[in-house]
Amino acid sequence: MSSNPETLALHAGWRADPSFGSVAVPIHQTTSYQFQDTGHAARLFALEELGNIYTRIMNPTVDVLEKRIAALEGGVAALALGSGQAATTFSVLNLCEAGDNIVSSTDLYGGTWNLFANTLKQFGVEVRFVDPADPEAFARATDARTRAYYAETLPNPKLQVFPIAEVAAIGRKLGVPLIMDNTAAPVICKPLDLGAAVVMHSTTKWIGGHGTSIGGIVVDGGNFDWEAHAERFPTLNKPDPSYHGAVWTQAVKPLGPIAYIIRMRTCLLRDIGAPMAPMNAFLSLQGLETLPLRMERHCANALKVAAWLAEHKAVVKVIHPSLMRDEYKRRADAALKGGYGSLIGFELKAGAEAGRKFIEALKMFYHVANIGDARSLAIHPATTTHSQLSVEEQAASGVTPGYVRLSIGIEHIDDIIADLSQALETATT
Ligand code: PLP
């Protein structure tokens, strides 16, 4: 199979249904699967043979999505989940017990921030937040109970690309895997090639691409030696009482370097649930098939919008990796290939009230709390997503009163700019 994303997105993990010849991936809307005989059932439960048992654990439609995204990211296997939040939660809980910690970048999606700062704490997992401006901060925050590093490739609102290769290298020296949320940079960034061990996505965004389905996925890079650091990873190296004392790094050796993702499926998905529904996997596959093509247009349009906004008299600042300088431009160029993503932040000279008016004046852009849709989207964070934060907290997270976030879609560039132009005019006169 080719390693080109355009081809993988259409072909990886599926070649015409053997029963009926269906070319599109069928929706296997079933909860359970008929066993061939009692021996077959016993072998499946004992993991002596891999196969379908029950849709909470695996499903043939979901399986194609998992194989296809694993191939696109260059990983060995993947696990799809009911949402991006579930994917983040599983990616961390798969390695952590009460008393353990992870080190995370401060630049995070708000839902992830809440999960890390509050909810994981209730389960005894500590998250140590460090500023990604200094990669060495990850090393300084590491101790014997650190189980992973966590960061987003292209975090908004700052849109400063994370130093993936630098932090992955620090982690590999200390025996700590880097988990990357690559939601905002599918196709244009491959964190596993830069040294990350695990990638997750909210498939709700660019992968699904059409605003139809919530979903998430975790991809195992198969490139981290969990056995070499056995003391650090007891969940993968100690006998698991919930699975007849299986030691995951040993039990799955004949199947390849998939201990991390198999344990996530056989234990966390079995016990906590949160599977992706077959229908959502089907809809996400429809999006995935055109993802490389859409990303090209998303990125090309965003590049033009960023340059146009930078020249506009009502705008004081435009945030987009293409316009950054020095270290942040270097990081963007090192990690992103083929485009700088489709998120743009900009600040209106006239402040919060103008930001509110601008949003209300948009005619084609949708005003929604989402990103990564094929349609162009906009939001004014100071009065919505970040309104519960103090002005100081907003500033620390990169949100100023006049800040507007755009997720540029794949409409014709002239129509995108025409809508922005008339809304800026309305907001500032
Ligand atoms: N990661 C990022 C970067 C996101 O933007 C989001 C949602 O906005 C998530 C994770 C969570 O994904 P979901 O909404 O699918 O749970």
Side-chain angles (χ1 to χ4, degrees):
M1 170 69 72
S2 152
S3 62
N4 294 315
E6 297 82 353
T7 309
L8 290 173
L10 287 159
H11 293 284
W14 177 253
R15 183 80 203 173
D17 169 51
S19 311
F20 301 104
S22 312
V23 172
V25 179
I27 306 163
H28 290 273
Q29 195 66 45
T30 182
T31 57
S32 34
Y33 306 84
Q34 167 79 358
F35 301 122
Q36 290 153 19
D37 51 43
T38 52
H40 177 229
R43 285 194 303 282
L44 291 181
F45 272 87
L47 292 184
E48 284 163 11
E49 195 179 319
L50 288 185
N52 297 310
I53 298 175
Y54 188 59
T55 280
R56 174 159 24 86
I57 315 292
M58 59 200 298
N59 171 279
T61 310
V62 180
D63 181 59
V64 179
L65 181 72
E66 290 167 343
K67 290 200 165 93
R68 206 163 274 185
I69 294 179
L72 269 171
E73 286 290 358
V76 288
L79 177 66
L81 292 154
S83 68
Q85 284 303 101
T88 298
T89 306
F90 276 41
S91 72
V92 172
L93 289 188
N94 203 36
L95 299 172
C96 290
E97 297 172 318
D100 292 342
N101 67 75
I102 66 164
V103 182
S104 171
S105 165
T106 44
D107 292 356
L108 292 174
Y109 163 61
T112 308
W113 177 275
N114 238 329
L115 168 70
F116 284 1
N118 299 305
T119 304
L120 287 187
K121 202 191 275 176
Q122 292 167 5
F123 296 99
V125 175
E126 181 199 354
V127 180
R128 301 173 174 180
F129 293 101
V130 297
D131 185 346
D134 176 14
E136 286 298 329
F138 282 80
R140 291 195 295 277
T142 304
D143 65 15
R145 298 292 297 266
T146 302
R147 302 294 180 241
Y149 296 156
Y150 191 97
E152 292 179 18
T153 304
L154 186 54
N156 77 84
K158 291 182 192 163
L159 301 178
Q160 291 168 344
V161 172
F162 184 75
I164 303 174
E166 289 88 332
V167 175
I170 289 168
R172 283 185 185 270
K173 241 192 259 156
L174 299 172
V176 179
L178 173 62
I179 303 171
M180 287 303 305
D181 178 339
N182 200 32
T183 297
V187 185
I188 58 172
C189 181
K190 287 181 75 179
L192 299 177
D193 288 355
L194 298 170
V198 173
V199 164
M200 67 74 54
H201 281 274
S202 163
T203 58
T204 314
K205 317 296 181 200
W206 286 263
I207 287 177
H210 299 81
T212 62
S213 320
I214 301 286
I217 197 158
V218 182
V219 181
D220 185 341
N223 61 7
F224 194 87
D225 192 347
W226 308 104
E227 254 186 290
H229 309 281
E231 282 305 306
R232 206 182 272 287
F233 304 109
T235 60
L236 300 181
N237 286 291
K238 291 225 167 102
D240 186 338
S242 82
Y243 226 104
H244 317 301
V247 174
W248 292 108
T249 48
Q250 305 305 320
V252 301
K253 230 175 219 167
L255 303 172
I258 55 171
Y260 173 84
I261 206 77
I262 283 279
R263 196 257 173 191
M264 191 181 290
R265 186 185 296 279
T266 53
C267 298
L268 293 187
L269 191 56
R270 175 197 62 187
D271 298 347
I272 303 176
M276 180 181 279
M279 182 55 124
N280 280 7
F282 173 80
L283 291 166
S284 306
L285 276 165
Q286 303 318 296
L288 187 59
E289 294 197 346
T290 56
L291 177 68
L293 201 55
R294 282 187 288 109
M295 284 308 287
E296 268 182 42
R297 182 61 67 87
H298 275 297
C299 291
N301 279 351
L303 196 64
K304 288 180 187 154
V305 170
W308 179 81
L309 284 170
E311 298 292 316
H312 199 286
K313 61 181 187 323
V315 173
V316 276
K317 187 172 176 191
V318 182
I319 300 164
H320 186 251
S322 67
L323 300 173
M324 289 179 192
R325 290 209 204 104
D326 307 323
E327 181 60 7
Y328 290 108
K329 184 71 182 354
R330 190 198 65 75
R331 285 181 184 179
D333 287 331
L336 307 180
K337 301 286 170 235
Y340 293 104
S342 63
L343 295 174
I344 298 178
F346 72 95
E347 207 174 313
L348 284 159
K349 212 177 272 176
E353 182 54 19
R356 198 187 55 72
K357 274 207 223 152
F358 168 80
I359 296 283
E360 284 183 358
L362 287 166
K363 293 189 173 130
M364 186 183 77
F365 275 66
Y366 277 91
H367 177 204
V368 294
N370 193 24
I371 49 177
D373 198 301
R375 302 159 191 83
S376 289
L377 315 173
I379 199 159
H380 180 230
T383 53
T384 56
T385 52
H386 290 62
S387 59
Q388 277 109 39
L389 305 188
S390 67
V391 174
E392 293 75 35
E393 286 170 328
Q394 286 187 4
S397 71
V399 170
T400 47
Y403 180 94
V404 173
R405 182 184 76 196
L406 304 177
S407 176
I408 300 298
I410 60 172
E411 301 95 342
H412 196 286
I413 185 64
D414 293 351
D415 298 323
I416 294 173
I417 287 183
D419 198 28
L420 293 172
S421 180
Q422 65 79 23
L424 279 172
E425 190 68 30
T426 310
T428 52
T429 49

